[in-house]
């Protein structure tokens, strides 16, 4: 199963031929996202795949948006997946000042996941996450569940919540790591045993790192926010 979503256009003026690292202010030795450069740039780190470069740009872009438009980013995070309100909200957030010498397109799901990742890192990245045994109810995070794309997203969020309950520490390491870094690869490897038991019976899902990271980011942020607020997370389907 491959998740396909609309594309959100994010534009800035192009300066051809320039490529500079996005991670000058990062903890590059540890692969940490705790410190981020304020503007998204195409990384020239050796060994990165095109997909990893795309994820890295999305991550930097989301951090920049959060730094410059905190209230609007948090308002977007309250909109259900792929609703008209959500698409309008992310389009209104588009800011060429957050991109350095680039003109790119990003899938909606990628930038949504990057924003939830930025919110998690900023708000809870330095805290320990206490995860209960009950499954969260993510139904409010999607639109009409009778639509296939929303039903798929709800299933993926349930899956992510299950993975978090099984190994929250490794999920946190994934979310704090730079795209394509050794820290991220090691965290995904440690997390892999949790995937199979968390899939519904007779379901096979093809994940990319981008789609998996996106749903883990949203699920992790919502769990952390609810737990830190002292809210009881209602029981869900897993």
């Amino acid at each position: 199963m491959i998740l396909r979503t609309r594309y959100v256009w994010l534009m800035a003026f192009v300066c051809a031929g320039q490529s500079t690292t996005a991670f000058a202010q990062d903890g590059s030795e540890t692969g940490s996202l705790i410190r981020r450069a304020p503007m998204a740039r195409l990384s020239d780190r050796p060994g990165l795949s095109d997909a990893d470069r795309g994820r890295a740009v999305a991550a930097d872009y989301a951090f920049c948006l959060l730094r410059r438009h905190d209230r609007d980013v948090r308002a977007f995070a309250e909109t259900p997946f792929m609703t008209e309100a959500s698409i309008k909200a992310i389009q209104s957030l588009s800011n060429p000042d957050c991109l350095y010498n680039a003109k790119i397109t990003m899938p909606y799901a990628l930038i949504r996941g990057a924003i939830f990742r930025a919110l998690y890192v900023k708000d809870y990245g330095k805290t320990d996450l206490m995860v209960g045994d009950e499954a969260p109810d993510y139904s409010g995070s999607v639109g009409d569940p009778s639509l296939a794309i929303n039903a798929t997203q709800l299933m993926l969020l349930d899956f992510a919540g299950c993975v978090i309950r099984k190994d929250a520490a490794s999920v946190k390491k994934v979310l704090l790591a730079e795209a394509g870094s050794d820290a991220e690869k090691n965290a995904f490897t440690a997390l892999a045993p949790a995937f199979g038991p968390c899939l519904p019976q007779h379901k096979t899902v093809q994940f990319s790192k981008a789609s998996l990271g996106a749903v883990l980011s949203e699920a992790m942020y919502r769990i952390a926010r609810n737990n830190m607020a002292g809210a009881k997370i209602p029981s869900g389907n897993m």
Side-chain angles (χ1 to χ4, degrees):
M1 179 175 61
I2 299 174
L3 182 63
R4 298 183 184 275
T5 61
R6 299 183 194 179
Y7 280 72
V8 176
W9 287 85
L10 305 170
M11 295 179 289
F13 292 107
V14 176
C15 238
Q18 289 192 337
S19 175
T20 54
T21 179
F23 307 104
Q25 296 181 22
D26 289 346
S28 56
E29 292 183 358
T30 60
S32 173
L33 280 177
I34 291 294
R35 300 183 64 192
R36 269 289 175 187
M39 183 179 291
R41 309 181 184 193
L42 293 174
S43 176
D44 59 3
R45 274 195 299 150
L48 278 187
S49 68
D50 288 343
D52 287 342
R53 291 184 198 282
R55 292 192 298 121
V57 170
D60 284 343
Y61 185 78
F63 273 91
C64 181
L65 288 180
L66 183 58
R67 183 178 66 86
R68 298 187 182 210
H69 307 289
D70 185 280
R71 181 181 299 179
D72 291 338
V73 168
R74 293 178 189 278
F76 163 75
E78 298 304 315
T79 62
F81 179 82
M82 282 298 291
T83 57
E84 183 177 354
S86 184
I87 293 169
K88 285 183 177 179
I90 192 59
Q91 288 174 338
S92 69
L93 277 171
S94 298
N95 187 339
D97 292 337
C98 281
L99 291 169
Y100 187 88
N101 294 340
K103 180 179 180 179
I104 59 175
T105 61
M106 295 183 193
Y108 169 91
L110 176 62
I111 189 60
R112 182 180 176 93
I115 284 174
F116 276 104
R117 191 176 197 167
L119 285 166
Y120 172 77
V121 171
K122 180 178 180 181
D123 293 352
Y124 309 113
K126 295 183 179 180
T127 64
D128 292 329
L129 177 64
M130 301 299 294
V131 181
D133 295 328
E134 291 186 328
D137 180 1
Y138 294 108
S139 59
S141 301
V142 301
D144 182 356
S146 68
L147 297 178
I149 193 170
N150 290 332
T152 297
Q153 179 69 3
L154 185 56
M155 184 270 289
L156 293 177
L157 287 171
D158 283 340
F159 164 81
C162 173
V163 171
I164 290 166
R165 292 194 304 280
K166 289 186 176 298
D167 193 352
S170 291
V171 173
K172 181 175 182 177
K173 290 177 181 179
V174 167
L175 301 190
L176 294 183
E178 295 175 5
S181 66
D182 288 341
E184 184 189 58
K185 293 174 184 176
N186 292 338
F188 271 125
T189 298
L191 197 57
F195 296 160
C198 284
L199 284 173
Q201 280 192 325
H202 312 301
K203 284 281 187 180
T204 300
V205 181
Q206 294 179 357
F207 284 115
S208 65
K209 287 182 181 178
S211 61
L212 180 57
V215 292
L216 288 174
S217 296
E218 182 164 353
M220 191 76 156
Y221 174 73
R222 295 197 184 284
I223 289 174
R225 185 182 63 175
N226 288 347
N227 286 1
M228 294 298 288
K232 179 179 174 60
I233 302 175
S235 179
N237 298 322
M238 281 190 179

